[in-house]
Amino acid sequence: MTEYETLAQELHQSNVEIIDYSFQSPNIKGLLIDNVIGINKNINTSAERTCVLAEEYGHFLTSSGNILDQNVTSNRKQELRARNWAYERMAGLTKILTAYQNKCHTSYEIAEYLGITEEFLQDALLRYRQKYGAFATIDNYVIYFEPSFGVLEIK
């Protein structure tokens, strides 16, 4: 089962419908209204559809009300919460380590392994750098976020 199918199944169990939709603006990739998630039908790749669905799932779990106006501070905070949820779900540090342990060393290889876009992975890594600083330690591994991304096993 793909990551997209796993997310879709979980949302279905929460009575959330997922539909393909032609948004008037190509900039809108996904939107949650009530218990319906619309995914832009012009998104072609499975990885991008998965990332969009994960973020909308994050909105379902963490947001309330109309947050379209990003000039409002509370709306920006809700947007960030939903994105952070999606980053943790799709590209959490343990998932990055699992990809590394399965011989994925570049961001392209890790993103492919996780079924997400490389851009989504880079955004997640940027968020982790803001959260943890230059690196994070998990078990016998150090994940570096600066000066560049890397994973080091401590023996």
Side-chain angles (χ1 to χ4, degrees):
M1 184 177 294
T2 68
E3 286 296 324
Y4 184 90
E5 292 168 333
T6 300
L7 292 172
Q9 184 177 41
E10 289 175 21
L11 284 161
H12 178 74
Q13 291 171 349
S14 296
N15 296 315
V16 177
E17 183 181 0
I18 302 166
I19 61 170
D20 285 336
Y21 191 79
S22 289
F23 292 102
Q24 289 184 357
S25 170
N27 297 329
I28 300 175
K29 295 184 179 194
L31 191 63
L32 169 68
I33 299 175
D34 297 325
N35 278 18
V36 178
I37 294 175
I39 304 287
N40 190 323
K41 67 171 28 176
N42 294 320
I43 296 175
N44 296 323
T45 69
S46 166
E48 188 174 6
R49 291 180 72 75
T50 299
C51 296
V52 171
L53 185 60
E55 185 175 334
E56 296 309 320
Y57 194 169
H59 282 296
F60 173 72
L61 296 172
T62 67
S63 303
S64 63
N66 181 341
I67 65 166
L68 291 175
D69 184 356
Q70 288 297 295
N71 293 317
V72 177
T73 302
S74 63
N75 292 352
R76 287 193 309 272
K77 287 180 180 180
Q78 288 190 67
E79 185 68 35
L80 183 58
R81 256 195 314 274
R83 284 189 184 162
N84 287 338
W85 184 91
Y87 295 150
E88 291 289 339
R89 173 63 187 263
M90 304 307 300
L93 296 180
T94 55
K95 287 189 173 201
I96 291 170
L97 280 181
T98 300
Y100 176 82
Q101 292 165 339
N102 281 281
K103 310 295 186 231
C104 301
H105 299 286
T106 68
S107 59
Y108 172 82
E109 292 170 337
I110 292 170
E112 178 115 348
Y113 180 86
L114 297 176
I116 60 176
T117 65
E118 194 171 0
E119 178 183 8
F120 186 89
L121 176 62
Q122 291 301 325
D123 290 345
L125 293 172
L126 176 61
R127 177 64 188 128
Y128 298 149
R129 186 174 79 205
Q130 293 167 344
K131 182 177 180 179
Y132 298 110
F135 64 90
T137 304
I138 298 178
D139 298 327
N140 294 338
Y141 294 90
V142 178
I143 301 174
Y144 288 94
F145 308 114
E146 54 184 48
S148 62
F149 170 69
V151 179
L152 175 67
E153 183 176 7
I154 304 168
K155 295 186 180 199

